[in-house]
């Protein structure tokens, strides 16, 4: 019985610490700024939505022995801030080339299914942020979605 009480106490402490149980204060916790440190990772999540930035349909040859499989894909990125829109527009050819290089190394099996698409999105964001942070003095891209994602 003592072990059950201890376990319950731990659960309550965790719920308070994570904010699931409110303490009666209506003030939200302060937002703490974090620095990327050149990791290529997406910037920390915030409640503000960054500006959208798109790359229209791309067709990429996938890595298969016969070379007859293609991926048609388009991208809608959420940028980290308004400050990087001009940089993204100026470096669009570089971003497109990096995307093409990344996607052309994938096989059909690596592109099928929602888990693989999530993996592609995460890896793509990490690569692009790593490549582009020298122009933007930090990560440029927060998120990416694929409005078009078709393998043939």
């Amino acid at each position: 019985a003592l072990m059950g009480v201890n376990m319950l106490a731990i659960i309550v402490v965790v719920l308070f610490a994570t904010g699931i149980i409110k303490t009666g204060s209506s003030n939200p916790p302060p937002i703490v700024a974090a620095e990327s440190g050149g990791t290529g990772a997406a910037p920390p999540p915030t409640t503000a939505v960054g500006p959208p930035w798109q790359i229209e349909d791309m067709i990429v040859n996938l890595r298969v022995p016969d070379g007859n499989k293609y991926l048609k894909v388009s991208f809608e990125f959420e940028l980290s801030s308004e400050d990087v829109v001009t940089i993204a527009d100026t470096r669009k050819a570089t971003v497109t080339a990096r995307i093409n290089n990344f996607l052309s190394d994938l096989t059909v099996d690596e592109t099928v299914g929602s888990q693989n698409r999530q993996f592609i999105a995460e890896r793509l964001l990490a690569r692009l942020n790593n490549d582009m942070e020298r122009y933007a003095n930090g990560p440029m891209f927060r998120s990416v979605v694929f409005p078009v994602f078709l393998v043939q």
Side-chain angles (χ1 to χ4, degrees):
L2 185 59
M3 185 171 196
V5 172
N6 288 340
M7 186 62 81
L8 181 59
I10 291 171
I11 291 172
V12 170
V13 168
V14 168
L15 292 175
F16 274 112
T18 59
I20 294 173
I21 296 178
K22 302 292 183 192
T23 60
S25 171
S26 63
N27 295 334
I31 297 173
V32 178
E35 188 174 327
S36 166
T39 62
T46 66
T47 56
V49 175
W53 188 73
Q54 298 175 346
I55 294 180
E56 296 301 321
D57 294 346
M58 288 179 63
I59 298 175
V60 178
N61 291 327
L62 295 173
R63 187 173 43 102
V64 293
D66 62 1
N68 291 330
K69 294 294 181 181
Y70 304 96
L71 171 64
K72 179 180 179 181
V73 62
S74 63
F75 306 88
E76 183 163 320
F77 293 95
E78 178 187 352
L79 298 178
S80 58
S81 70
E82 289 287 340
D83 299 338
V84 298
V85 173
T86 303
I87 298 168
D89 289 340
T90 303
R91 300 289 177 182
K92 193 168 196 169
T94 301
V95 172
T96 303
R98 298 281 196 265
I99 292 171
N100 191 26
N101 290 342
F102 172 71
L103 295 176
S104 64
D105 282 338
L106 299 176
T107 64
V108 172
D109 289 341
E110 293 169 327
T111 62
V112 176
S114 61
Q115 285 183 322
N116 284 337
R117 287 187 192 167
Q118 181 63 35
F119 176 78
I120 290 168
E122 291 168 3
R123 293 296 306 144
L124 189 59
L125 285 174
R127 277 192 181 193
L128 291 175
N129 278 327
N130 190 45
D131 289 346
M132 302 304 291
E133 69 184 352
R134 64 180 172 198
Y135 304 112
N137 296 322
M140 285 180 50
F141 304 101
R142 272 195 197 146
S143 66
V144 62
V145 294
F146 309 113
V148 174
F149 197 97
L150 175 66
V151 178
Q152 272 190 308

